[in-house]
Structures are given as C-alpha cells and as structure tokens.
Amino acid sequence: MKLDDLLKNTGEWLRGSGPDSDVVVSTRIRLARNLADFPFSNRASPLQKGEIESLLRDRLLRIDNGTRFSYLQVHSLNHLDRQFLVERQLISREHAASEGQRGVAIEPQESRSIMINEEDHLRLQVLRSGLALEEAWQDIDRLDDLIEQRVNYAFSEEFGYLTACPTNVGTGMRASVMLHLPALQMTRQLEKVFRALQKINLAVRGLYGEGTRASGDFYQISNQVTLGRSEADILREIREVIPQIIDYERKARATLLKESRPTILDRVYRAYGTLRSATLMTSDETIDLLSCVRLGINLHLIEDLTIPAVNELFLLTQPAHLQKMQGTVMEPEERNAARANFLRLRLNRN
Amino acid sequence: MKLDDLLKNTGEWLRGSGPDSDVVVSTRIRLARNLADFPFSNRASPLQKGEIESLLRDRLLRIDNGTRFSYLQVHSLNHLDRQFLVERQLISREHAASEGQRGVAIEPQESRSIMINEEDHLRLQVLRSGLALEEAWQDIDRLDDLIEQRVNYAFSEEFGYLTACPTNVGTGMRASVMLHLPALQMTRQLEKVFRALQKINLAVRGLYGEGTRASGDFYQISNQVTLGRSEADILREIREVIPQIIDYERKARATLLKESRPTILDRVYRAYGTLRSATLMTSDETIDLLSCVRLGINLHLIEDLTIPAVNELFLLTQPAHLQKMQGTVMEPEERNAARANFLRLRLNRN
C-alpha cells in the first residue's frame, strides 16, 4: 500500500453509521502488548528497536484475517504523512513524534491497525462506527489471538499483560467511546455528567485524546483501570453507563427543540451558511460549525446532508488531509483558504 | 394618499444611484421656517397649533411644483405608522413622539417633504441620492419660495429666519450628507477624519441622527452653524470637505483590497452568507451585515446584487416596515424571525 491510497477513501468506521450514531461517533478498543524476549521500547537500544520492528512487521504481514495488513515504516515518513496518519487516528501523536525504527500495520478498511514500537511493542486498535463495544471487543480479541500464535507476549500470571507504563498493566486494554454531546453542552449539563463518570473511574477527554480541548462538543469516554479487572468487567461498566449519557443527550436535544426551536434553528442554519460562504476557515472553527450542522441533521433541521458526509468533512478538513489533497505543503493562512474553498465546493454542490 | 401606498415603493433618493454613491448614500437639506403671526409651536396653545396646522396644510396642498403634495395628519396616525414615517426619514423621531395637531406633506417620489408643527412651524426637507448638494439646494430654495409666496415667514433683517431654537436662527438650514465609511472604520482612520471635521465646525452623527450609535459605518456630516453665514457659504464648506473624505475612503478601500483581500473577501462573503442563512436577525445585525455586503458590492467582490437593492433592504428590514409589510404588529422576537425570513427570500432568489 502507498500511504496516498488512503486518501481515496475514509475509514469504514467513519463512513458507516453504526448503532446510536446520532450521539456515538465511534467505538475504539486498543490493547497494549509487548514481546517477552525484548526490553520495552523505551529501554531498548536502537538496534533492539530495529529487531523488534523487523520481527513484528514480518509476523503481522503473514496474518490473513480475511483481509491482510498493509505496513508503513513511520520513521521513514515525512512530517506531513505522519500527521496525516494521526488525523486518521491510525497512529498516536506520540508515535508520530517519537524517534527510532517504528511502524504501523493497517487493514484496508482502516478498522484495524497496529502500531509497532509506540510506548509498547504492539498497540492493537479496532475502530467501529457508533456504539459497538461488543463487536469491537470480539474483533480485537481475535486479532490478539492471531498475533499471539506468532509471537511470545510478555505476560505474568499474577499481573496479566506487562506494559511499559504501569497504568496499562493487566488487560492492557483501553476501551473508549466518542460521543457528540452538543445539547448537554448547550443546556450546561456536561459538568454533572462528567462528575458522575469520574466517580466510576471513567476518563473524559476532548476530541483528540489527552491534552486537547474538547472541540465541537466531542468527548471520549474511556476506562482508567486496567489491572485487577477482566476485560468483560471493564466493558460491562462502560456499556452500562453510555446508554444513560446517550439518553441524557437525546432528552436535552428534545428539550432544546421544544423550548428553543427558533434559536437552535438559527444557530444551525448560520453554521451551515457560514461553512458554505466563508473564504477563510480555521480548523477549530470548522469543527465547531460542523458540530452544529451535525446536531442540525440529527434534529432533522437540515435535510440535504447526511451524518457520514459530515463525518467525512471533519476528517478531510484537517491540516494534513488538506495538504495531501492539494498535493503540497501549505502555510496556515493558505490552509485556511483551501479549507474554506473545499467546504464551499462540497456544501454548495447539492 | 394613503400612508400604505408608500409601501409599494421606496423613495426615489434610495432607488437611484446619484453621484459618488459608492461612498455617499444621500444628500439632505432642511430649512426651518416659522410663521410671523403665531407663537413658535412649543409656545403655541393647542388651539393655535391647530390653526397653524390647518393654515399650512391648506397652503401646501395648493402648491403645484410639477407634482403635488400628499398630506398626513401625524397626530391621527397610530404608533406603527408614525414609526414607519420615521424609518423612511419623512418625519423626525421628535415629530413622531410629540403632542398636538401636526402633520407632514410628502411628494410622491418622497424627495420633498415638509413637517408642520415640529420644533418649528415648517421644516422643509429635500433628499437626493448620492452627493448632490447643489441640486438639493436649488430644489429646496425653489420650494421655499413657493411657500413664501403663500405665507408670512418670521424673518429679521438682523438675524435672518427666526426659529424656535437659537441654533437654527439665520439660514435655518441644515445640510447633511450620509456617508458609508466602512474602510476608514476598518483601517482605524475615522477618528482622524472626524477630528478634522469638528475643527471646521461640521458635525458627525450616526445613521439616524442625534442619539443613535453609528450603525453599519454610516455617518451623517452636517453644518453646525446657521447664523452669520450665507447658505452658499455653508454649502461651499461642506462641498469642499466631502470629496476629501470620499477620497480617503476610496483609498482605504483600495489599500484593504491590495493588502488584505483574502480577509475582506471572507468578511464580505460571511456577511452575505449569514444574511441568506439566519432564521433570526435583529435590526442592528442586519445593518452591520448589509453594510459589509454594500462594501463588497462596491469592491466588486459581490456581483449578483446592486447598491439600490441593498439600500432597499436597509429600509425594508426596519421594524415598522416589516410590520407594515406583514400587516400586523409583532413583538421583537417575531420581528427577528420575519426579518430573517424576508432577507432569506430576497437574497436567495437570484
């Protein structure tokens, strides 16, 4: 696979519209795994990191999971291409920025991917559209088995899977659900919901994981604890609480429509109008306006756009995607013009 | 004439596009006159005010100035109709709000009008599109003569025309030019221009005269002094300074286009887009957005709208006009919805 082939499509998890996709954008599970016979990546010498990468690349490329993995050596990609993979959620920011031999294996639909030599030797990821914790779990569990048949995982009978950072020891699992909560935001109920989540040890983060502000009212809910609980227990906990949040958000939307329909309609139409009119547009503003349009579609206030189309716009208007589409590196100001132009073309062709 | 007939058109001075109309919206001259045989309106008894009104109405309706005046008794109009006349600049806010028998004579094109029993017994007004001080002066001077043939003006050889307020004594003339100065505003040069104007005793006011903030970067420049100078002198002073301001504004526009074209384009298109999209819109926001669109047309950034069309929207989106068009009294929130709806219909039909 050439990296540029990814440009032709968006990941299946974004194109699809899974269960409860009016509120739940996507479900993601990742597993942290390490090889027993090597030091953790942060302790490994450059030579050892090279060996780890070669070995795992070789093993992963042999796996036939219905489809086969493509493989990219992240260390030989330029800055733009790494950023592009970050925007697609195929690698982490840390993986893009770190040093040494490392890679990523990606299935054609982009639902499954595996980072090599990130914080751990292996970081398996499964992404699904909508709320699909069970399906994602079965999928990643099968993938984990396929890999385990080919390598020797670092595993302790006492602790479970061993990981570079103690916070991942045990299951090595982080399950997260990305929620779109504009109505809870508008009705100022988010704080309340988040406090309840923290009490049961679930973490809440903005759109792009730690250290990023919550753009466009997108929030990732994930487990904090990996040790002393089974995967099934952790997933059950999340599965129990998410429907409540979905319910709160839907009720808040219904209340908004009932009590402030003119205001919401105005807000939605202005956002849509601005996306179709502006000739300069930052990433942040795009996310905020698309968030508002996404709400508008879900409230049936906008009829000529679909959720998958909006999801795609979120993806394609990111800086690296814009530059890849244009085939050139651009300064922020140029990107703002290109982004606005792209949005105008996409949204005015109806 | 029925007042509602005015709704069918806008004043000729708004529809036309007079000299320098990229910067100068309109020229207005008014003359304050009083009858020698009656106390000033503020000193007159209700009975005397009635006599003044009857006498002047009778005299004005006899004048044949090519066209003939229609006449409305302002005291018998309801609040909405008075507000409607204020918005059309046919009567002043004070005339709408005051007490007692009073009226307004209006020529069909709305270029000439005369208030009866405002601060003075007579307030003659001529309105012209663009910069047209000379034409407006000749027009109002002729009208003044026609009236003087029929009534006995209060005139002193020493002071000139006598008026209720000393600031109008002498010529009784106020000449004003309404300028659209968005580029001077954006480039922060307005203060400088205004200070220069004040030095030569010209007053600067926002869109709707005294006590109103400068909405949409519209400014009225007018003479302060009426005493001790001839009409010709006063007009010459204004005529000398206005072309300089026009020149400053045009240079500022050229600079903006040259140095910040992308920013200006974005601002103009966003304004246009918002006017076409919003479903709630206040008067103030409408004025600001239309001001931006007006600039966009003059900079040839918007090609599918004309200045007269935008001038008309300024007029028709005002509260009383909206209510007259809808044929019903509306609360502010209802007006905001009706205004947005009207703008969407008008601006999306291209």
Side-chain angles (χ1 to χ4, degrees):
Chain A
M1 181 192 70
K2 290 204 200 99
L3 177 135
D4 289 9
D5 292 344
L6 293 175
L7 255 185
K8 294 172 191 158
N9 279 308
T10 57
E12 192 272 333
W13 64 276
L14 255 187
R15 262 181 293 143
S17 40
D20 301 310
S21 63
D22 55 329
V23 179
V24 185
V25 179
S26 58
T27 301
R28 174 175 171 267
I29 300 184
R30 70 110 166 111
L31 298 176
R33 296 290 184 259
N34 288 278
L35 302 178
D37 312 326
F38 291 87
F40 291 132
S41 298
N42 58 346
R43 294 290 187 124
S45 67
L47 194 69
Q48 287 173 316
K49 284 184 79 171
E51 284 179 55
I52 295 164
E53 198 261 338
S54 303
L55 183 144
L56 288 174
R57 180 183 55 203
D58 175 70
R59 298 293 188 279
L60 294 180
L61 287 173
R62 287 167 194 250
I63 292 176
D64 186 352
N65 189 20
T67 58
R68 280 178 175 275
F69 283 109
S70 301
Y71 192 85
L72 295 166
Q73 288 194 305
V74 173
H75 54 275
S76 41
L77 297 177
N78 63 29
H79 177 76
L80 181 60
D81 285 347
R82 289 180 205 177
Q83 200 51 42
F84 175 78
L85 294 175
V86 171
E87 290 176 1
R88 287 185 98 82
Q89 303 195 40
L90 294 171
I91 67 173
S92 63
R93 283 172 195 277
E94 292 72 20
H95 202 46
S98 79
E99 298 284 322
Q101 210 164 317
R102 62 202 191 280
V104 61
I106 305 165
E107 282 205 345
Q109 298 291 314
E110 299 179 45
S111 299
R112 301 185 198 94
S113 60
I114 303 169
M115 285 186 283
I116 309 293
N117 276 336
E118 207 247 23
E119 188 176 277
D120 297 292
H121 296 157
L122 291 139
R123 283 279 177 105
L124 290 61
Q125 169 179 279
V126 163
L127 271 166
R128 288 269 180 159
S129 175
L131 182 60
L133 281 161
E134 192 49 46
E135 297 81 344
W137 168 247
Q138 286 172 10
D139 203 12
I140 204 162
D141 191 32
R142 193 166 51 238
L143 180 59
D144 190 33
D145 289 345
L146 286 170
I147 299 170
E148 202 161 14
Q149 292 163 16
R150 287 163 175 82
V151 301
N152 188 15
Y153 277 163
F155 185 82
S156 140
E157 286 301 328
E158 189 182 354
F159 297 117
Y161 291 100
L162 301 178
T163 54
C165 176
T167 59
N168 292 313
V169 168
T171 60
M173 182 178 83
R174 182 92 65 217
S176 65
V177 175
M178 201 210 284
L179 303 173
H180 187 217
L181 305 176
L184 286 177
Q185 161 65 30
M186 286 182 203
T187 55
R188 295 165 202 279
Q189 297 180 79
L190 269 183
E191 277 301 313
K192 199 177 60 184
V193 173
F194 290 171
R195 272 199 304 275
L197 288 171
Q198 273 146 13
K199 269 189 200 159
I200 54 169
N201 276 316
L202 293 180
V204 181
R205 298 192 188 84
L207 184 54
Y208 292 109
E210 287 168 280
T212 317
R213 73 170 189 88
S215 315
D217 307 317
F218 290 98
Y219 295 91
Q220 236 175 43
I221 315 282
S222 61
N223 63 304
Q224 306 241 41
V225 176
T226 57
L227 187 62
R229 313 274 272 276
S230 71
E231 289 87 349
D233 282 348
I234 295 168
L235 291 172
R236 189 179 315 115
E237 243 172 31
I238 303 179
R239 240 192 339 253
E240 274 169 18
V241 73
I242 298 292
Q244 287 178 41
I245 305 178
I246 295 175
D247 192 47
Y248 289 151
E249 170 66 21
R250 285 184 183 148
K251 282 194 176 127
R253 290 180 188 179
T255 306
L256 280 177
L257 260 195
K258 198 175 151 202
E259 292 175 7
S260 329
R261 188 187 165 92
T263 313
I264 296 300
L265 187 72
D266 183 55
R267 197 159 159 173
V268 165
Y269 274 40
R270 280 172 184 251
Y272 197 12
T274 301
L275 287 166
R276 295 163 89 147
S277 310
T279 60
L280 292 176
M281 181 80 70
T282 64
S283 278
D284 278 352
E285 189 185 7
T286 305
I287 292 169
D288 286 339
L289 295 175
L290 285 176
S291 164
C292 200
V293 164
R294 193 181 198 281
L295 176 65
I297 297 169
N298 281 323
L299 295 179
H300 306 291
L301 301 175
I302 292 178
E303 303 282 2
D304 61 351
L305 259 185
T306 64
I307 293 294
V310 172
N311 287 348
E312 192 183 30
L313 292 178
F314 275 110
L315 184 75
L316 298 179
T317 54
Q318 294 178 100
H321 273 75
L322 273 179
Q323 294 174 82
K324 295 293 289 179
M325 284 191 293
Q326 297 274 329
T328 173
V329 173
M330 293 184 282
E331 294 299 306
E333 269 303 300
E334 294 174 88
R335 290 206 298 269
N336 291 345
R339 182 178 295 112
N341 194 40
F342 174 77
L343 286 163
R344 286 162 61 90
L345 283 173
R346 277 292 180 104
L347 295 173
N348 287 313
R349 69 183 178 190
N350 298 318
Chain B
M1 181 192 70
K2 290 204 199 101
L3 178 135
D4 289 8
D5 292 344
L6 293 174
L7 255 187
K8 293 172 191 158
N9 278 309
T10 57
E12 191 272 334
W13 64 277
L14 255 188
R15 261 181 293 141
S17 40
D20 302 309
S21 63
D22 56 329
V23 179
V24 185
V25 179
S26 59
T27 300
R28 174 176 169 268
I29 300 183
R30 69 109 167 111
L31 297 176
R33 297 289 184 259
N34 288 277
L35 302 177
D37 311 326
F38 291 89
F40 291 131
S41 298
N42 58 345
R43 295 291 187 122
S45 68
L47 195 68
Q48 287 172 316
K49 284 186 79 171
E51 283 178 57
I52 295 164
E53 199 260 338
S54 304
L55 183 145
L56 288 173
R57 179 183 56 203
D58 175 70
R59 298 294 189 276
L60 294 179
L61 287 174
R62 288 166 194 248
I63 292 176
D64 186 352
N65 190 19
T67 56
R68 281 178 174 275
F69 283 109
S70 300
Y71 192 86
L72 296 166
Q73 288 196 304
V74 174
H75 54 274
S76 41
L77 298 177
N78 63 29
H79 176 75
L80 182 60
D81 285 347
R82 291 181 204 177
Q83 199 51 40
F84 175 77
L85 293 174
V86 171
E87 291 176 2
R88 287 185 96 83
Q89 303 194 42
L90 294 170
I91 68 172
S92 63
R93 283 170 195 278
E94 294 71 20
H95 201 46
S98 79
E99 299 283 321
Q101 210 163 318
R102 62 201 191 282
V104 60
I106 306 165
E107 282 206 346
Q109 298 292 314
E110 299 180 45
S111 298
R112 302 185 197 92
S113 60
I114 303 168
M115 287 185 284
I116 308 293
N117 275 337
E118 208 248 22
E119 189 177 277
D120 296 293
H121 295 158
L122 290 139
R123 283 279 176 105
L124 290 59
Q125 169 179 279
V126 163
L127 271 167
R128 287 270 181 159
S129 175
L131 183 59
L133 282 160
E134 192 49 45
E135 297 81 345
W137 167 247
Q138 285 173 11
D139 203 12
I140 204 162
D141 191 34
R142 192 167 52 240
L143 180 59
D144 189 35
D145 288 346
L146 287 170
I147 299 170
E148 202 160 15
Q149 291 163 15
R150 289 163 175 82
V151 301
N152 188 16
Y153 276 161
F155 184 82
S156 140
E157 286 301 329
E158 188 180 356
F159 296 117
Y161 292 100
L162 300 178
T163 54
C165 177
T167 59
N168 292 313
V169 168
T171 60
M173 182 178 81
R174 182 92 64 215
S176 64
V177 175
M178 201 211 284
L179 302 174
H180 187 218
L181 305 176
L184 287 177
Q185 161 66 30
M186 286 182 204
T187 55
R188 295 166 201 279
Q189 297 179 78
L190 268 183
E191 277 300 314
K192 199 177 61 185
V193 172
F194 291 172
R195 272 199 304 272
L197 288 171
Q198 272 147 13
K199 270 189 199 159
I200 55 171
N201 275 317
L202 293 180
V204 181
R205 296 192 190 84
L207 184 55
Y208 292 109
E210 288 166 280
T212 317
R213 73 173 188 88
S215 315
D217 307 316
F218 290 99
Y219 295 91
Q220 237 175 43
I221 316 281
S222 62
N223 64 304
Q224 305 240 43
V225 176
T226 57
L227 188 62
R229 313 275 271 276
S230 71
E231 289 87 348
D233 284 346
I234 294 168
L235 290 172
R236 189 180 317 116
E237 243 171 31
I238 302 179
R239 239 192 341 252
E240 273 169 16
V241 74
I242 297 293
Q244 287 179 41
I245 305 179
I246 295 175
D247 192 46
Y248 289 150
E249 170 65 19
R250 284 183 185 150
K251 282 194 174 126
R253 290 180 188 179
T255 305
L256 280 177
L257 260 196
K258 199 175 151 203
E259 293 175 7
S260 329
R261 189 187 164 92
T263 313
I264 296 301
L265 187 71
D266 182 55
R267 198 158 157 173
V268 165
Y269 275 39
R270 279 172 186 253
Y272 197 11
T274 302
L275 287 166
R276 295 163 89 149
S277 311
T279 59
L280 292 176
M281 182 80 72
T282 64
S283 277
D284 278 353
E285 189 185 7
T286 305
I287 291 168
D288 287 338
L289 295 175
L290 285 176
S291 164
C292 201
V293 164
R294 194 182 197 279
L295 176 65
I297 296 170
N298 281 322
L299 295 179
H300 306 289
L301 300 176
I302 293 178
E303 304 283 0
D304 61 351
L305 259 184
T306 64
I307 293 292
V310 172
N311 286 347
E312 191 183 29
L313 292 178
F314 275 110
L315 183 75
L316 298 179
T317 54
Q318 294 178 100
H321 274 75
L322 273 179
Q323 294 174 83
K324 293 293 287 181
M325 285 191 292
Q326 297 274 328
T328 172
V329 173
M330 292 184 283
E331 294 299 305
E333 269 304 299
E334 294 175 89
R335 290 206 298 268
N336 291 345
R339 181 178 295 111
N341 194 41
F342 175 76
L343 285 164
R344 287 163 60 91
L345 283 173
R346 277 292 180 105
L347 294 174
N348 287 313
R349 70 184 176 189
N350 297 319

